[in-house]
Structures are given as structure tokens and as C-alpha cells.
């Protein structure tokens, strides 16, 4: 291969670029990024950055020395709008064409938005620009904040807003947040963190409408930026004033944060030969229907699973690049899903896969009044006599040991599966 193009200047895109050089690719390397920023770390956006503890320069994932060593052409603030029929060229906006021999798709995902008119004071939190806009608004004074969605982004953002002194309510449509990930017992324990942090949690009710007024004085704009993303501030005139729930209640709100999940960024691949279904379909080696095209990170559905986790974004590129340079699937990606979340002064860590019916045992620490005890806890999930997952709240060292055991068992038990998606 003479040219490889990485589409997406994301965490996974950066790791793919690193792997290309580390694995001996010495040809032309092009990185196309929709945002105007170089690769940056997203997890702090809802936590330390929102709290003002992490300056922007500390979010950057590269330094000038590494950038020089990668010897890549960075096309930032440029959105790809197509992949040619044979996958031999990436088509960025602006009428240009980037001929290429190989493609790494690392375009990630975009935040889901609520339908209806856009109002000032309504935010998502996915990008650095999103976080900038929300942080600026939260600095205006004490606000009534409603967070829609009790997942990790919603919980972390609610925690940060509460720490800043705002009045916070979290609205979750399900009976409990995080049940699909943690199961009902441990989801209830994690939900208690909201109560302990002074945040109201309303469950079992959805949102039907956002209320707004024309009296709010705002200076934002509601237009597409040059790279095709929205700057998350909107035209002066209509500001959010309340959130109407499906049970008829109306919650007063000055700021609304929508944390209802993300959609894989595959729109630019419409019309290509690639199979798309909640992500780019890949085999277990991250290889698509075109052997010269691989996908990694939040946008990739690898072997039937798509995981929006930091670990997947950093681990998949090694296997994907190896297979890309080989021109076929030689190796398969094996990993135990792992994620963490910082909420209300506690660190929640989880590794493995929960399935309905798994038995859950607290093996260290305790649950007190429905919440984690003062010393946290470690819980094991078991199925057919085997530990399949582990949850830790403020027990990082025992969690690390338990996670290593899970990883070892997975490596011993997992078959090598490399049938390509066609």
C-alpha cells in the first residue's frame, strides 16, 4: 500500500495512525477529521473539563513530537461525504478526492437529539465544542438543570452540575438507569448515587415536549459550521423554560442536557458497498466487506457487537491495521468490554458482559440503605459456575485483579473467528 486514509481524527483514528507507523507502514498517511480540533480525550468533557479543572491543552492526545513522527497529512475541519464504489478513494467536502489504497473508518458516533424546534439552553455533550458551550452557560449563575437520560453521560454531567451548585433533576424513561449494562440489582445501587449527591432522579417517565419562551436574551447562532457540525448554540429569541414529561408534569428548566445515546456516524457511507446496520458491519478482525477497508471504535460493529468504550477504541486498531496491511483477515479482535464512570465522588468500573438471569454477589464491601457502603463494593456476576462480569465502586485494585482474571478466561475460551462480512 502506498496511501492509507484514516477517516476520523478521533481517539480510535489516532491509535490507527500510530499502529500504521508502528507496524511498518511508511507510505502516505492522510487523516480526515470533521472537527477543527486534533485528537482529544473525551471522557473529561463531562467531568473535570466541565468543572473547570482540566484546561483544553490537557485534553490533547498528541504533542508536536509525535505529530512529526507520524508524518501524516491532517485534513481537519473537513467532513468526508463519500467513499467511492471500490473503496479506492475518500471524498471529502470541497470537491476534492483523496485516492487511497486502504481506509480506516474511525468516524465515531454523534449524539442523539430530541425532535422539535431548537431552543437555547438545550445541549448535548459529545464534542469539545459541546462542552465549551455548556460550561459557559453553567458559569452564568445558579441554574435549574434537567438532564434527560440517566446513562453514563447523563449521570456524569448531572454530577458535575451538582458539584457546581446547580439544582439538578435527572429524567430516565426506564424504571432504572443502566439496567441493560448492570442488571436491576446493581443498577439500583448506582442509582442511589444520585440521591447521595443531592440530585433528584425521576424514573419511568419520558419527555414529550420542551417548553420555550421568546423573552430570553441569547446571542447564539443556529447554523452549520464549516465542518458540518452544529456549534450547539442557537438563535436569539427562544430559550428553554421547562421540560414536559409523559405523565403530564412540567419541570422548570434554565438548562437542559440531552443524554439519550449516540448514533454511529455512517451517513457519509450511504451508497457505498459497505454493509451498514447500527454501525459498519465488520468481521472479528474489524475488516469490512471490502478487504482494503477496516473500521474501528464507536462506528464499528465487530462480529455483531458495537461497543462505545474507550478500551475498544484503543485496542481494535492494532488488529484492524494488521489485517489491513495483510489484505485479509489474519487475526481476530478479542476483548472483555470494560468501562468506567466518575459520579458524585465515586468511581464506577465494570468489566465483562451482563446477561439477564446472571447471579450477582457482593464479595467485598457492602450495600447500605440501598447505596454503596462507605468503603465501596466489589460485585461478581456469575453464570453456570463462572464469573462473567465484575462491578466495582471505589475498589479499583480488587477490580483490576478481577478484570485480569476475566481477560485470561476469555482468551482461553474464545475461538478465533475470522469469517469476513460479505
Amino acid at each position: 500500500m502506498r496511501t492509507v486514509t484514516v477517516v476520523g481524527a478521533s481517539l480510535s483514528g489516532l491509535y490507527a495512525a500510530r499502529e500504521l507507523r508502528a507496524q511498518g507502514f511508511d507510505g502516505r498517511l492522510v487523516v480526515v477529521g470533521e472537527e477543527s480540533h486534533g485528537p482529544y480525550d473525551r471522557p473529561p468533557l463531562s467531568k473535570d473539563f466541565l468543572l473547570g479543572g482540566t484546561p483544553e491543552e490537557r485534553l490533547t492526545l498528541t504533542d508536536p513530537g509525535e505529530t512529526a513522527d507520524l508524518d501524516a497529512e491532517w485534513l481537519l475541519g473537513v467532513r468526508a461525504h463519500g467513499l467511492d464504489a471500490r473503496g479506492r478513494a475518500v471524498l471529502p467536502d470541497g470537491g476534492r478526492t483523496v485516492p487511497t489504497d486502504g481506509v480506516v473508518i474511525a468516524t465515531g458516533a454523534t449524539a442523539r437529539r430530541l425532535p422539535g424546534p431548537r431552543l437555547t439552553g438545550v445541549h448535548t455533550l459529545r464534542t469539545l465544542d459541546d462542552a465549551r458551550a455548556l460550561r459557559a452557560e453553567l458559569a452564568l449563575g445558579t441554574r435549574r438543570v434537567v438532564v434527560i437520560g440517566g446513562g453514563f453521560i447523563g449521570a456524569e454531567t448531572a454530577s458535575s452540575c451538582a458539584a457546581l451548585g446547580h439544582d439538578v433533576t435527572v429524567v430516565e424513561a426506564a424504571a432504572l438507569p443502566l439496567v441493560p449494562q448492570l442488571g436491576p440489582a446493581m443498577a439500583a445501587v448506582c442509582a442511589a448515587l444520585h440521591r447521595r449527591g443531592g440530585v433528584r432522579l425521576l424514573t419511568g417517565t419520558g419527555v414529550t415536549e420542551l417548553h420555550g419562551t421568546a423573552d430570553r436574551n441569547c446571542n447564539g447562532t443556529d447554523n452549520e459550521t464549516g465542518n458540518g457540525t452544529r456549534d450547539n448554540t442557537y438563535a436569539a429569541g427562544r430559550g428553554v423554560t421547562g421540560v414536559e414529561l409523559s405523565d403530564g408534569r412540567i419541570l422548570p428548566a434554565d438548562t437542559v442536557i440531552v443524554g439519550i445515546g449516540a448514533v454511529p456516524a455512517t451517513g457519509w457511507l450511504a451508497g457505498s458497498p459497505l454493509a451498514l446496520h447500527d454501525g459498519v458491519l465488520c468481521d472479528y478482525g474489524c475488516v469490512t466487506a471490502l478487504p482494503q477497508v477496516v473500521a474501528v471504535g464507536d462506528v464499528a460493529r465487530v462480529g455483531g457487537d458495537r461497543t462505545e468504550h474507550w478500551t475498544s477504541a484503543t485496542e481494535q486498531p492494532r488488529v484492524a491495521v494488521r489485517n489491513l496491511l495483510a489484505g485479509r483477515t489474519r487475526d481476530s479482535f478479542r476483548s472483555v468490554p470494560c468501562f468506567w464512570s466518575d459520579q458524585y465522588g465515586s468511581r464506577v468500573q465494570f468489566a465483562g458482559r451482563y446477561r439477564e438471569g446472571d447471579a450477582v454477589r457482593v464479595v467485598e464491601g457492602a450495600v447500605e440503605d440501598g447505596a454503596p457502603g462507605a468503603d465501596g463494593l466489589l460485585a461478581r456476576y456469575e453464570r453456570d459456575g463462572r464469573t462473567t462480569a465484575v462491578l466495582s465502586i471505589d475498589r479499583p485494585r480488587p477490580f483490576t485483579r478481577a478484570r485480569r482474571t476475566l481477560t485470561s478466561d476469555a482468551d482461553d475460551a474464545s475461538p478465533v473467528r475470522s469469517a469476513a462480512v460479505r
Side-chain angles (χ1 to χ4, degrees):
M1 289 187 175
R2 296 182 179 180
T3 301
V4 173
T5 302
V6 179
V7 186
S10 56
L11 176 69
S12 58
L14 173 62
Y15 270 71
R18 288 173 174 169
E19 285 295 334
L20 281 160
R21 293 309 190 201
Q23 294 186 32
F25 176 70
D26 59 1
R28 182 189 180 203
L29 174 57
V30 182
V31 182
V32 180
E34 183 173 347
E35 295 184 62
S36 59
H37 320 290
Y40 59 88
D41 201 18
R42 294 184 190 274
L45 294 181
S46 57
K47 295 171 280 195
D48 289 346
F49 180 79
L50 205 58
L51 291 169
T54 299
E56 285 191 22
E57 55 268 23
R58 286 180 56 189
L59 298 176
T60 303
L61 292 172
T62 59
D63 57 41
E66 181 183 29
T67 300
D69 290 342
L70 286 176
D71 189 25
E73 299 174 34
W74 296 84
L75 304 181
L76 299 179
V78 177
R79 178 173 57 181
H81 71 263
L83 184 70
D84 83 345
R86 295 176 299 162
R88 296 297 185 183
V90 172
L91 310 175
D93 284 346
R96 72 184 97 181
T97 299
V98 179
T100 191
D101 302 300
V103 177
V104 180
I105 298 172
T107 44
T110 59
R112 293 182 184 274
R113 298 182 183 272
L114 291 174
R118 293 182 175 273
L119 302 174
T120 56
V122 179
H123 300 261
T124 56
L125 187 53
R126 181 81 187 182
T127 69
L128 177 56
D129 289 339
D130 291 342
R132 282 173 172 171
L134 179 56
R135 187 168 74 167
E137 182 167 317
L138 293 174
L140 297 176
T142 303
R143 309 183 75 75
R144 297 166 299 179
V145 178
V146 176
V147 180
I148 303 172
F152 292 113
I153 289 296
E156 290 171 0
T157 308
S159 171
S160 296
C161 290
L164 290 169
H166 301 287
D167 180 82
V168 184
T169 301
V170 175
V171 178
E172 168 60 46
L176 280 171
L178 303 176
V179 169
Q181 294 85 3
L182 305 180
M186 290 298 105
V189 173
C190 287
L193 294 174
H194 292 286
R195 181 181 71 244
R196 196 163 74 182
V199 169
R200 291 179 295 277
L201 174 63
L202 305 180
T203 61
T205 183
V207 172
T208 58
E209 185 181 358
L210 299 183
H211 291 210
T213 177
D215 297 330
R216 185 166 170 175
N217 181 22
C218 307
N219 296 314
T221 57
D222 181 17
N223 51 20
E224 295 278 348
T225 63
N227 60 11
T229 61
R230 290 191 178 273
D231 63 8
N232 212 26
T233 56
Y234 308 121
R238 294 207 69 203
V240 69
T241 59
V243 177
E244 184 171 341
L245 306 181
S246 55
D247 60 14
R249 284 178 290 176
I250 299 177
L251 305 178
D254 307 302
T255 299
V256 173
I257 300 158
V258 181
I260 55 175
V263 181
T266 58
W268 68 284
L269 294 168
S272 75
L274 302 184
L276 307 175
H277 180 67
D278 187 36
V280 179
L281 299 188
C282 310
D283 65 14
Y284 286 93
C286 302
V287 180
T288 72
L290 299 173
Q292 70 275 20
V293 180
V294 297
V296 293
D298 292 358
V299 74
R301 180 167 287 278
V302 179
D305 294 320
R306 188 174 70 85
T307 54
E308 297 180 11
H309 303 319
W310 191 90
T311 49
S312 298
T314 57
E315 292 173 357
Q316 289 173 354
R318 179 172 299 174
V319 169
V321 166
R322 190 176 298 142
N323 293 333
L324 177 68
L325 296 179
R328 59 186 178 87
T329 301
R330 295 179 54 184
D331 297 319
S332 294
F333 174 70
R334 304 178 189 179
S335 179
V336 173
C338 179
F339 55 83
W340 73 92
S341 178
D342 295 318
Q343 306 172 23
Y344 308 105
S346 290
R347 168 151 287 198
V348 179
Q349 296 170 283
F350 185 87
R353 293 181 175 88
Y354 161 76
R355 293 180 186 172
E356 186 176 355
D358 285 355
V360 184
R361 292 189 301 122
V362 176
V363 295
E364 295 187 24
V367 177
E368 300 173 1
D369 191 26
D375 296 326
L377 61 84
L378 183 76
R380 289 183 179 273
Y381 293 70
E382 297 172 340
R383 186 186 321 127
D384 299 328
R386 295 187 60 186
T387 298
T388 57
V390 61
L391 168 71
S392 163
I393 301 176
D394 295 328
R395 293 239 170 179
R397 290 185 179 177
F399 173 80
T400 299
R401 291 194 295 268
R403 182 192 174 195
R404 286 174 182 159
T405 301
L406 283 175
T407 303
S408 176
D409 289 346
D411 287 343
D412 291 341
S414 297
V416 177
R417 294 170 287 189
S418 60
V421 177
R422 299 300 180 196

